[in-house]
Amino acid sequence: QKEVEQDPGPLSVPEGAIVSLNCTYSNSAFQYFMWYRQYSRKGPELLMYTYSSGNKEDGRFTAQVDKSSKYISLFIRDSQPSDSATYLCAMWVGNQFYFGTGTSLTVIP
Amino acid sequence: KAGVTQTPRYLIKTRGQQVTLSCSPISGHRSVSWYQQTPGQGLQFLFEYFSETQRNKGNFPGRFSGRQFSNSRSEMNVSTLELGDSALYLCASSFGPSREQFFGPGTRLTVL
């Protein structure tokens, strides 16, 4: 079993929809949680960083962490075609980060 | 503030050759991590350097090595290249271990 599981998709939604992206993890020791967005042929771009259970909001993005269920989510409100990318979750424990394999999202105009 | 830079951006090598990739972190960042990204495996951790010391290493063979200089710039070396080494190699810098990482654009290595 991988440390971090992420549905690869692909996910296709119409413009303006609310998008929900999710990751589950097995190691209860994970302390820090991040979401990255990666456009084709680019490096990942940090979107959200949180270290506690609960919600964190930044513009149209909301990151949610549920440590009791070992589950994290990223919600995108009013999705735009420019949100079309691969979204990676990442978590930190010990001395390294562990990444999900990414979910491919397409927002259709 | 300038972001993480990586050179070269693209590289084509043949099996058996060796390659050196370079990474310049964000100014003030002392931690540099390297990752290999492939479609099948996703992002896999190679190693992390902090203040010129390797702090952690992933599960890659000894052909993969790295170093960090006093100005925090880092290099990664792969010797005796194999076809399976074709990947996007990403460098990420952070202020310190466990802090949020910022990625460079990557070096796309193709091994023929």
Side-chain angles (χ1 to χ4, degrees), chain A residues 2 32 34 36 38 41-46 49 88 92 94-97 99-101, chain B residues 9-10 35 37 41 43 45 48 55-56 88 90 98-105 108:
Chain A
K2 284 190 173 184
Y32 303 101
M34 283 140 288
Y36 288 86
Q38 186 174 22
R41 299 193 168 275
K42 302 282 188 184
E45 171 195 7
L46 181 64
Y49 174 88
L88 300 155
W92 184 90
N95 287 322
Q96 69 177 83
F97 288 93
F99 285 80
T101 51
Chain B
R9 293 293 311 280
Y10 301 92
Y35 295 87
Q37 187 177 36
Q41 298 296 319
L43 266 166
F45 173 73
E48 180 200 6
R55 294 187 69 250
N56 198 18
L88 180 67
L90 291 159
S98 86
R99 301 289 296 272
E100 52 266 55
Q101 294 188 329
F102 297 87
F103 282 85
R108 186 162 296 279

Side-chain angles (χ1 to χ4, degrees), chain A residues 36-75:
Chain A
Y36 288 86
R37 176 176 62 195
Q38 186 174 22
Y39 292 114
S40 180
R41 299 193 168 275
K42 302 282 188 184
E45 171 195 7
L46 181 64
L47 286 176
M48 304 285 282
Y49 174 88
T50 183
Y51 56 87
S52 59
S53 283
N55 294 350
K56 182 177 182 180
E57 192 173 314
D58 184 1
R60 296 184 297 111
F61 298 91
T62 299
Q64 187 176 79
V65 175
D66 183 346
K67 288 188 176 180
S68 61
S69 301
K70 300 194 188 71
Y71 188 89
I72 69 170
S73 299
L74 178 70
F75 298 96

Side-chain angles (χ1 to χ4, degrees), chain B residues 52-72:
Chain B
E52 302 179 65
T53 301
Q54 187 180 90
R55 294 187 69 250
N56 198 18
K57 190 177 191 302
N59 294 325
F60 278 81
R63 299 185 297 108
F64 293 82
S65 63
R67 59 177 175 168
Q68 186 180 33
F69 302 96
S70 59
N71 62 358
S72 294

Side-chain angles (χ1 to χ4, degrees), chain B residues 10-31:
Chain B
Y10 301 92
L11 208 49
I12 299 175
K13 293 286 188 179
T14 56
R15 279 180 300 175
Q17 288 187 308
Q18 75 163 13
V19 66
T20 299
L21 313 181
S22 181
C23 171
S24 292
I26 292 171
S27 178
H29 284 190
R30 295 165 61 192
S31 176

